[in-house]
Amino acid sequence: MSVARLDARFALCRAEDRAAFVAYLMAGDPDAGRSLALLRGLSAAGADVIELGFPFSDPMAEGPPIQRASLRALEAGTTLASTLELVRRFRAGERDTPLILMGYLNPVLSYGYDRFSSDAAEAGVDGLLVVDCPPEEADDLADALDPHGLALVRLAAPTTDAARLPAVVRRASGFVYYVSVAGVTGVKSAAAETVAPAVERIRAAAGGLPVAVGFGIRTPEQAAAVAQAADAVVVGSALVDTLAKHGVEAALGQASALAQAVRNARR
Amino acid sequence: MNAPAANTWSAYPDARGRFGDYGGRYVAETLMPLVLELDGAYRAAKGDPAFQAELDDFLTHYVGRPSPLYFAERLTAHHAGNGAKGGGCARIWFKRDELNHTGAHKINNCMGQILLARRMGRTRIIAETGAGQHGVATATVCARFGLPCVIYMGATDVERQKPNVFRMRLLGAEIVPVTSGRGTLKDAMNEAMRDWVTNVEDTYYLIGTAAGPHPYPAMVRDFQAVIGREARAQMLERAGKLPDACVASIGGGSNAIGLFHPFLEDDVRLIGIEAAGHGLTSGQHAASMTGGRPGVLHGNKTYLLQDDDGQILDAHSISAGLDYPGIGPEHAWLKDSGRAEYRTATDMEALAAFQECARLEGIIPALEPAHALARVGEIAREVGRGGDVVLNMCGRGDKDIYTVADALAGHADHPAETKL
Ligand SMILES: Cc1ncc(COP(=O)(O)O)c(C=O)c1O
């Protein structure tokens, strides 16, 4: 499956002329049981793609909500290995919803690129997004992931200029993640009118790969606005906050409202 | 590790910012273009005689360089007396960077980087600090050039380095206490990176040690290498020969690489001293090379204190300036290739050496070089009579007097108190 599962889901969304809704959660936040319940509920709530964070002690690009989620997950004993176990259990009942892992390089490096690639593919992971691994440093990791059909999702940012963009999307697969504002997660949000031209620029450079837009999208209104132009809308900190304050059911309710907003945005 | 051919040690890093397998640029894409721009700007400045002349002028008249090379006669005699055979001890010299304006080597780097930031048109400066020495040096150059300055400092360090916090405020800097993690240098660095990624238009991140994404490790080293260049010339003038060994304390590695770098091609032993905190087996130390393994943090691949899952561990040292779970990548490479050696000193050993230096030489060292002082006796005896050892006295101890007082009060039977 793997990258093929991502491709199939984006093809489906394109056929329905709508953006995909990508829901982010942190593995093991607040514990493995509730994390699994949330994972299982998300596809029913309308998540097209699941982005599962694995915790890191030093999440340099995260704002306070995901920093706190990372800490809760670590306190609950979450590791990269237990994150893969969570995916395995999720996959036992769910074959269609693509899932990518997101986090920082050191846990993956420590696990070993080759061992990680085969274990992740076996667990049912479809791709990997590493915040602190720019294309200049990514070849070894991509070489390890490729044989297992796992996507290494590339990130583009507002600071990525036209000259640099081709290097950023070289070897991209699955989709490209556009970090729509310069900043950490969960704080600022981009003005909707700046998103459309950026998405077009990136999609063209990446040979038509879908472009997902994230950072600072919290409400159904914001999600719908971004969904006009983007191929996918990513919501993370808002869901993580709701989970922390009101629990799994409330987070699923919010995911469902966001998914509806994304689905209906172009109608 | 692939050791380079002789006489090419100082040619590193390569164009990708690599020292062997170490270094590199592991930052979020948002920062990548900024890091590349900085690399270009630094290379241009490095090749520009006008930039170097401006820097030299400030180093001479504002920082107070060159710093003296001082023969520590009484400390030498003390260690000679402690020798197994008696008297078989090399001469110990102090490279006195504690006499610089602001009291440590940190200002050498700050002066270089602030001139670069101005050249790049940046209008806001941010920095991380542990002991507060880098924060003070950054606040100082920001005051001198009229630039707003935000210093990230772990909340724990704000507590234990109060005099420096006050100095930074007097200099007009804004101090942001960082409560994430354990509130020390690594957490301050995370927070500074978060600020940088948020304020990409106007902000210059003035990193205080020879670590971070390329070009920082090479650039900070170049700005600190004035220490080693002076020491080399001063030894030749004073002793008519090069030293046999150079010794320096290791936090992120900037004072050590600054001393070592100009000696890389010479037949001179280079020895860095890491902080062993409560002891290497206690799990509470800051010896990333002696007690860690390679990984990626804060933009570079290097030795890190980490658990089996690759989570970074909190470091511990009585010296806030050494309390960091990583190390600059050039040291990681010099260690693997065997060109430099690394040893450790515990909190207790550093405290003893701190007092010993104060009483024997009339110099109150910072707790950071006190770690180097704790090993310099054995190194001087290994080198033996007729040899010369240069120790980087990279900071003065005024900032540490309360920490030392607390530590001694807590250890009424402290060995150093009875010894001296
Ligand atoms: C006096 C002094 N020495 C050493 C250090 C450690 O840093 P580095 O290893 O970069 O020289 C510090 C850091 O704050 C310091 O203040």
Side-chain angles (χ1 to χ4, degrees):
Chain A
M1 281 308 261
S2 42
V3 72
R5 192 151 33 204
L6 281 162
D7 294 345
R9 181 54 58 106
F10 280 111
L12 178 82
C13 293
R14 202 172 301 123
E16 295 178 359
D17 188 27
R18 65 176 181 88
F21 171 52
V22 183
Y24 171 96
L25 73 160
M26 173 65 74
D29 170 30
D31 54 45
R34 275 176 279 184
S35 201
L36 184 62
L38 186 56
L39 267 180
R40 285 184 172 147
L42 276 173
S43 50
D48 292 295
V49 177
I50 291 172
E51 211 174 284
L52 182 64
F54 52 96
F56 184 48
S57 50
D58 296 82
M60 280 157 293
E62 314 305 337
I66 296 179
Q67 284 179 45
R68 288 192 292 261
S70 208
L71 249 152
R72 288 191 296 268
L74 288 173
E75 274 160 15
T78 312
T79 60
L80 186 52
S82 74
T83 301
L84 293 179
E85 181 52 30
L86 199 61
V87 176
R88 225 172 265 126
R89 291 167 69 191
F90 165 72
R91 273 280 172 251
E94 163 61 69
R95 307 302 306 170
D96 298 332
T97 306
L99 181 149
I100 65 163
L101 294 184
M102 173 166 188
Y104 292 78
L105 188 60
N106 202 50
V108 183
L109 188 65
S110 175
Y111 200 100
Y113 289 171
D114 288 328
R115 190 165 76 92
F116 170 80
S117 301
S118 64
D119 288 1
E122 180 270 322
V125 170
D126 303 308
L128 175 67
L129 198 161
V130 187
V131 176
D132 56 348
C133 189
E136 284 84 348
E137 308 290 354
D139 280 343
D140 291 352
L141 183 54
D143 289 345
L145 294 168
D146 274 350
H148 297 276
L150 296 177
L152 182 56
V153 175
R154 305 303 172 124
L155 292 133
T159 49
T160 311
D161 63 17
R164 178 168 169 76
L165 190 54
V168 167
V169 297
R170 193 179 66 87
R171 294 187 77 174
S173 62
F175 63 96
V176 178
Y177 189 127
Y178 177 54
V179 173
S180 57
V181 286
V184 293
T185 51
V187 182
K188 290 194 283 189
S189 59
E193 62 274 15
T194 66
V195 170
V199 166
E200 261 168 53
R201 196 162 62 90
I202 296 164
R203 201 191 283 130
L209 268 188
V211 177
V213 175
F215 271 51
I217 303 169
R218 304 190 70 93
T219 66
E221 294 70 36
Q222 288 172 317
V226 172
Q228 300 291 340
D231 299 300
V233 179
V234 189
V235 179
S237 299
L239 290 171
V240 162
D241 270 345
T242 304
L243 174 69
K245 288 190 194 115
H246 308 293
V248 173
E249 285 312 312
L252 288 175
Q254 185 182 28
S256 171
L258 288 160
Q260 281 308 315
V262 171
R263 267 168 206 268
N264 296 330
R266 294 186 207 157
R267 295 228 172 121
Chain B
M1 180 62 40
N2 40 329
N7 303 323
T8 60
W9 294 100
S10 49
Y12 286 72
D14 66 17
R16 294 171 59 220
R18 292 275 172 178
F19 300 90
D21 195 33
Y22 299 109
R25 298 178 171 117
Y26 295 90
V27 295
E29 174 57 24
T30 309
L31 290 180
M32 227 16 227
L34 282 79
V35 164
L36 293 169
E37 183 196 355
L38 178 63
D39 188 21
Y42 174 57
R43 269 187 284 127
K46 192 175 175 177
D48 178 355
F51 177 85
Q52 295 299 337
E54 187 184 17
L55 176 58
D56 286 347
D57 192 67
F58 276 107
L59 288 178
T60 305
H61 302 293
Y62 190 73
V63 174
R65 303 209 69 93
S67 69
L69 183 74
Y70 164 73
F71 172 41
E73 189 175 359
R74 296 227 313 139
L75 189 71
T76 300
H78 171 74
H79 285 302
N82 280 353
K85 292 180 226 86
C89 180
R91 286 184 293 187
I92 298 168
W93 303 76
F94 292 167
K95 179 58 178 163
R96 298 203 56 193
D97 260 51
E98 100 279 14
L99 294 177
N100 293 338
H101 181 40
T102 72
H105 67 293
K106 297 288 179 185
I107 191 115
N108 302 328
N109 166 49
C110 289
M111 195 46 90
Q113 286 200 57
I114 198 88
L115 295 180
L116 182 62
R118 279 161 53 85
R119 226 177 123 101
M120 293 176 73
R122 294 292 189 269
T123 53
R124 174 178 177 267
I125 307 294
I126 61 171
E128 83 296 338
T129 196
Q133 287 304 112
H134 176 58
V136 167
T138 304
T140 297
V141 296
C142 286
R144 171 60 185 76
F145 292 102
L147 291 172
C149 173
V150 177
I151 305 288
Y152 290 92
M153 187 169 188
T156 307
D157 292 337
V158 170
E159 257 325 290
R160 64 176 162 174
Q161 301 286 334
K162 282 204 184 99
N164 272 346
V165 173
F166 187 59
R167 288 164 82 196
M168 286 185 271
R169 293 209 167 110
L170 283 175
L171 291 161
E174 179 193 340
I175 317 298
V176 182
V178 177
T179 52
S180 61
R182 210 169 57 83
T184 60
L185 183 53
K186 132 182 126 75
D187 311 298
M189 197 147 178
N190 290 336
E191 215 50 42
M193 302 269 266
R194 291 183 186 119
D195 180 315
W196 196 23
V197 84
T198 306
N199 299 291
V200 294
E201 300 296 331
D202 61 348
T203 296
Y204 183 94
Y205 181 15
L206 207 162
I207 294 185
T209 193
H214 179 68
Y216 284 101
M219 174 170 71
V220 175
R221 171 200 72 199
D222 291 347
F223 289 140
Q224 292 293 3
V226 65
I227 301 172
R229 282 196 304 273
E230 286 175 8
R232 200 173 185 285
Q234 288 164 323
M235 270 310 296
L236 287 173
E237 191 193 314
R238 301 279 293 283
K241 66 187 256 297
L242 290 176
D244 300 276
C246 292
V247 185
S249 64
I250 300 269
S254 72
N255 89 82
I257 203 69
L259 176 63
F260 293 175
H261 199 260
F263 293 101
L264 280 177
E265 322 294 356
D266 299 317
D267 184 16
V268 175
R269 285 171 66 190
L270 306 173
I271 307 168
I273 312 297
E274 298 191 283
H278 296 314
L280 287 174
T281 54
S282 70
Q284 289 189 290
H285 60 79
S288 43
M289 284 185 290
T290 310
R293 62 189 172 90
V296 166
L297 179 72
H298 293 150
N300 55 185
K301 187 172 194 180
T302 188
Y303 277 87
L304 300 170
L305 300 179
Q306 54 183 313
D307 70 12
D308 290 343
D309 187 40
Q311 306 298 337
I312 308 306
L313 298 171
D314 287 316
H316 165 81
S317 170
I318 190 173
S319 144
L322 307 185
D323 201 346
Y324 180 66
I327 171 71
E330 190 162 7
H331 286 292
W333 174 70
L334 292 175
K335 173 195 159 66
D336 281 9
S337 57
R339 176 63 190 90
E341 17 170 339
Y342 297 89
R343 303 181 186 186
T344 64
T346 63
D347 287 355
M348 295 286 261
E349 290 171 319
L351 272 170
F354 178 99
Q355 297 169 85
E356 191 176 81
C357 181
R359 294 190 191 185
L360 288 173
E361 293 293 349
I363 294 171
I364 299 178
L367 278 170
E368 291 82 14
H371 286 71
L373 284 162
R375 290 276 88 83
V376 77
E378 74 188 32
I379 292 164
R381 288 193 294 274
E382 283 167 26
V383 169
R385 194 205 293 272
D388 294 283
V389 176
V390 174
L391 176 142
N392 199 2
M393 184 60 74
C394 57
R396 57 179 177 245
D398 311 35
K399 69 184 173 63
D400 292 317
I401 53 177
Y402 300 110
T403 305
V404 171
D406 284 352
L408 295 181
H411 297 97
D413 57 352
H414 193 275
E417 281 201 320
T418 48
K419 194 162 96 195
L420 290 172

